[in-house]
Amino acid sequence: QAGLNLGILSNLHLGDHFDLRFIPALCFSQRDLEYAYHDTLTGSNSLVLKSVESTYLEFPIDLKFKSKRIDNYRIYVLAGARFATDMISQAKVKEKDPDIIKLYRKDYGYEVGMGADFYLPFFKFSPEIKMFNGFPNLLAKENTVYSGALDALRSKIFFISFFFE
């Protein structure tokens, strides 16, 4: 599902074509898991939608490779690593509700993306698209009908960002 990510950009200029960026952020997200059930006695099918909400504190570090500036724009590609911790993780909560799907707090992985810098009279505007792939299995495995049906749950997030510098 679509979410909201608010962060502060820190940029270290390494040369004409390279920057090192650190963007600590607060990310509000939601995963929707859809389960399809078939009742063998009645022959009926049903769908159950389970929502898992998360609030992440994220710490990405990216290396940005910029093209040569042409007039008032330039394009760039970036790659880096991201560490995130879920502030509302329920992995260690002993809930009596069997319907809850619990996730572990820590997530980390790599991210790649591309964007463009547009130099305007008073600020620089940079739209960007980025993909994050998480390495660890976030699913806290329990013997419930919802978490037992899953082998793993990993992050695969697509970002569309707008930077104003």
Side-chain angles (χ1 to χ4, degrees):
Q1 292 294 323
L4 178 66
N5 193 347
L6 300 170
I8 297 173
L9 173 66
S10 302
N11 193 61
L12 178 62
H13 185 71
L14 299 176
D16 288 341
H17 298 287
F18 288 99
D19 287 347
L20 187 64
R21 299 190 331 170
F22 177 61
I23 311 169
L26 185 62
C27 181
F28 303 97
S29 64
Q30 176 178 320
R31 293 174 174 90
D32 286 341
L33 304 173
E34 187 175 290
Y35 295 87
Y37 290 104
H38 177 72
D39 189 348
T40 55
L41 297 176
T42 64
S44 64
N45 295 324
S46 63
L47 288 175
V48 175
L49 185 70
K50 297 296 294 176
S51 295
V52 181
E53 295 180 358
S54 297
T55 302
Y56 283 103
L57 192 55
E58 300 179 334
F59 303 99
I61 294 180
D62 296 322
L63 184 63
K64 177 179 171 182
F65 175 68
K66 307 178 289 187
S67 71
K68 184 177 179 182
R69 183 173 167 173
I70 300 171
D71 293 328
N72 286 329
Y73 71 92
R74 73 170 69 191
I75 59 172
Y76 63 87
V77 294
L78 58 91
R82 174 182 300 261
F83 173 78
T85 183
D86 191 352
M87 304 301 286
I88 60 171
S89 172
Q90 298 182 354
K92 294 184 179 179
V93 174
K94 292 187 175 159
E95 238 356 272
K96 294 198 183 338
D97 182 9
D99 294 343
I100 195 166
I101 298 171
K102 298 179 184 179
L103 302 179
Y104 290 116
R105 295 180 69 96
K106 309 286 189 238
D107 194 11
Y108 54 90
Y110 70 92
E111 60 185 15
V112 293
M114 60 185 284
D117 292 331
F118 295 100
Y119 297 90
L120 302 171
F122 299 107
F123 63 94
K124 180 171 71 169
F125 174 64
S126 303
E128 178 179 285
I129 186 165
K130 193 168 29 177
M131 180 186 71
F132 168 71
N133 277 322
F135 292 136
N137 180 7
L138 298 177
L139 182 66
K141 205 68 164 151
E142 293 186 333
N143 196 16
T144 66
V145 67
Y146 294 111
S147 67
L150 301 173
D151 290 330
L153 189 63
R154 289 182 173 77
S155 294
K156 182 172 272 188
I157 304 170
F158 295 94
F159 292 96
I160 298 174
S161 304
F162 301 103
F163 295 98
F164 299 91
E165 297 179 53

